[in-house]
Amino acid sequence: MVRFVTPLLLASLSVSAFAAQKCNSSSQCKEEKYPCCSQYGECGTGAYCLGGCDPLASFSLDSCAPMPVCESKTYTWENLDNAVTQDKYLGNASAADWTYSGKVKTEDGNLIMTMPAKSVGTLFANNHYVWYGKISGKFKSSRGKGVVTAFILLSDVKDEIDYEWVGADLTTVQTNYYWQGVLDWHNSGNITVDGEDTFNDWHTYEIDWTPEKVDWIVDGSVQRTLKKDDTYNETSKQYEFPQTPARLQMSLWPAGQASNAQGTIDWAGGEIDWNSEDIQDPGYYYATVGEVSVKCYDAPSDAKKTGDKAYIYANSAAMESDISITDNSTVLASLGATGLDMDLGADKSSSSSSSASNSIPTGSGGSGGMSGDNTSSDSGSGTSTTDGSETSTSGFTQGSPTQDSGAAGQNERVLRGSLFGVLVALVVLVTL
């Protein structure tokens, strides 16, 4: 069995001289001072310890903050009052349902995720974790070769269930799943979508996830089913089935950026046209999201339960039986705090109580990081500006700082929605 190792993506944009230690499941964070491995593969505190914090790559399993439990709720988009940028979120999912990076707005009761020219798009992530449930979203995908829209469930140990729309094919939605990030060439499946196309027509996409199976449902009709029994690995004696608490993430990202691997670009239908019709008017690629709902299912009957506020990992095997439900707090006192010391910085009474560059993961557009840091600087990175119903991150420069375009490299593709593009890229390399 091969475990997928999260790529080491981004250097800090902070004025701080701190250089984050890199981490993955075989090289954990080594310092208690910076114990949390973000989903971008760097060690830190604060937001590094919240959504996406990988307990298997962190200093210890309890370095990451406990995960807020599932909440059944329907989301509509009259405004963005229930969403905050990552530098403003400390783990209180009751105060903010969503965290986001990129430029988003609301329009006619819908959420608009945008990708301006040579940016790396938008990520919108729910702060409540789902441990089995039915997730529904009404979507109009983006369009254009190289442009990918995603609607996924992603756990902190890389269990994953996906819908992805490749803008070069507006008659199909791609589905996929992963267990602990392990690459498997046989997990994907395409669904043909009726109607004019996925950009102009509304369709409802659902993931019905139980301990026994996953159904992918389009416009009320089950189009694909994955049975847990069919994922059993005789060698490892394990079910390689998504089974750990996951966050709902919606994103728009540039798979066809010229600096990406050729396999990823080919999968996405070719290189992005940064002078396309949508870039000309309205000025960005965009995907439109209507009503989104989450219906939580009961936890497994044998789940360890001592409370009802948070999920935690009790064992590094990270299987369903290793999840406990507790009354642990999910809220950090400051951006200097961690799961090992949730109250650190409480006397400073502000999310900006830490100015270190390792308190907010540097952003990468499709997967939950914010660009910039939480310090004051000429660039304005990390501060939010609001103009009517539109909210953006000032100094939006997500992506590797080594790329002048600000767009994501191929290694970052994993964190944009699913692992499928990397699978395609590897297939291409193997066959060369």
Side-chain angles (χ1 to χ4, degrees):
M1 182 183 74
V2 177
R3 177 185 291 277
F4 178 78
V5 179
T6 303
L8 309 177
L9 302 180
L10 301 173
S12 171
L13 299 180
S14 172
V15 294
S16 168
F18 175 84
Q21 177 201 329
K22 296 173 181 178
C23 50
N24 55 54
S25 58
S26 60
S27 179
Q28 291 78 16
C29 296
K30 295 179 175 61
E31 297 183 46
E32 267 189 271
K33 187 176 181 181
Y34 307 112
C36 299
C37 186
S38 78
Q39 72 182 79
Y40 308 122
E42 290 185 340
C43 301
T45 68
Y48 282 65
C49 306
L50 298 173
C53 178
D54 186 342
L56 304 183
S58 295
F59 179 79
S60 59
L61 283 180
D62 54 353
S63 297
C64 300
M67 302 165 278
V69 296
C70 189
E71 181 177 72
S72 294
K73 193 168 184 178
T74 296
Y75 301 97
T76 56
W77 311 106
E78 286 73 30
N79 53 55
L80 292 171
D81 291 350
N82 64 345
V84 296
T85 53
Q86 193 169 357
D87 57 333
K88 306 300 182 186
Y89 180 68
L90 289 174
N92 185 356
S94 298
D97 291 311
W98 303 87
T99 20
Y100 70 93
S101 59
K103 189 173 183 180
V104 298
K105 66 177 184 178
T106 58
E107 184 176 281
D108 299 327
N110 300 313
L111 175 70
I112 312 297
M113 300 189 297
T114 76
M115 184 166 64
K118 299 186 180 180
S119 75
V120 292
T122 293
L123 170 79
F124 220 77
N126 198 273
N127 294 324
H128 304 273
Y129 281 70
V130 179
W131 197 21
Y132 304 118
K134 190 171 188 178
I135 296 86
S136 174
K138 189 176 179 182
F139 274 81
K140 289 183 179 180
S141 73
S142 192
R143 62 180 174 181
K145 60 184 181 179
V147 180
V148 175
T149 311
F151 180 55
I152 75 169
L153 289 172
L154 179 64
S155 85
D156 293 347
V157 297
K158 309 303 185 292
D159 285 350
E160 189 172 340
I161 306 169
D162 300 347
Y163 280 108
E164 286 194 304
W165 297 263
V166 174
D169 179 4
L170 299 180
T171 64
T172 300
V173 62
Q174 300 186 8
T175 66
N176 223 326
Y177 75 93
Y178 298 91
W179 170 77
Q180 295 193 8
V182 174
L183 298 176
D184 190 311
W185 316 108
H186 307 104
N187 292 353
S188 63
N190 291 351
I191 296 171
T192 298
V193 181
D194 294 334
E196 181 182 350
D197 61 51
T198 60
F199 174 79
N200 287 293
D201 290 348
W202 285 109
H203 295 279
T204 299
Y205 304 87
E206 295 174 286
I207 297 170
D208 194 356
W209 178 35
T210 72
E212 294 79 32
K213 66 183 178 70
V214 177
D215 285 331
W216 286 264
I217 305 168
V218 179
D219 294 331
S221 177
V222 176
Q223 297 292 322
R224 182 185 179 189
T225 296
L226 168 71
K227 296 180 180 179
K228 181 178 181 178
D229 286 347
D230 293 337
T231 69
Y232 190 69
N233 186 312
E234 289 287 352
T235 301
S236 64
K237 307 300 181 184
Q238 292 177 312
Y239 288 98
E240 298 184 347
F241 178 82
Q243 59 195 273
T244 51
R247 291 191 303 157
L248 169 60
Q249 300 190 10
M250 306 182 294
S251 61
L252 179 63
W253 66 279
Q257 167 64 26
S259 56
N260 284 356
Q262 191 60 48
T264 303
I265 295 171
D266 291 344
W267 165 71
E271 290 190 18
I272 287 183
D273 179 2
W274 290 119
N275 194 36
S276 68
E277 174 185 352
D278 288 339
I279 293 296
Q280 294 296 316
D281 182 19
Y284 43 73
Y285 287 106
Y286 62 97
T288 310
V289 184
E291 183 176 284
V292 172
S293 67
V294 176
K295 179 181 179 181
C296 308
Y297 292 158
D298 291 339
S301 57
D302 59 348
K304 304 176 185 72
K305 189 171 183 180
T306 59
D308 58 9
K309 294 181 180 177
Y311 305 120
I312 63 170
Y313 285 89
N315 188 289
S316 59
M319 303 294 282
E320 178 186 274
S321 59
D322 301 310
I323 305 298
S324 295
I325 308 174
T326 74
D327 276 335
N328 293 14
S329 173
T330 65
V331 182
L332 302 177
S334 73
L335 286 172
T338 72
L340 302 177
D341 187 352
M342 303 281 285
D343 296 324
L344 181 66
D347 57 330
K348 298 184 180 180
S349 70
S350 165
S351 65
S352 60
S353 59
S354 170
S355 60
S357 65
N358 59 315
S359 62
I360 302 173
T362 49
S364 59
S367 58
M370 288 300 301
S371 61
D373 59 10
N374 60 311
T375 60
S376 298
S377 68
D378 293 338
S379 70
S381 296
T383 60
S384 62
T385 59
T386 303
D387 181 10
S389 62
E390 184 171 342
T391 306
S392 64
T393 302
S394 178
F396 175 54
T397 55
Q398 297 169 342
S400 171
T402 63
Q403 296 167 339
D404 293 339
S405 68
Q410 182 268 343
N411 284 343
E412 298 171 31
R413 187 267 170 272
V414 172
L415 304 176
R416 295 296 184 276
S418 81
L419 303 174
F420 183 65
V422 169
L423 289 172
V424 175
L426 290 175
V427 170
V428 171
L429 290 175
V430 168
T431 56
L432 288 178

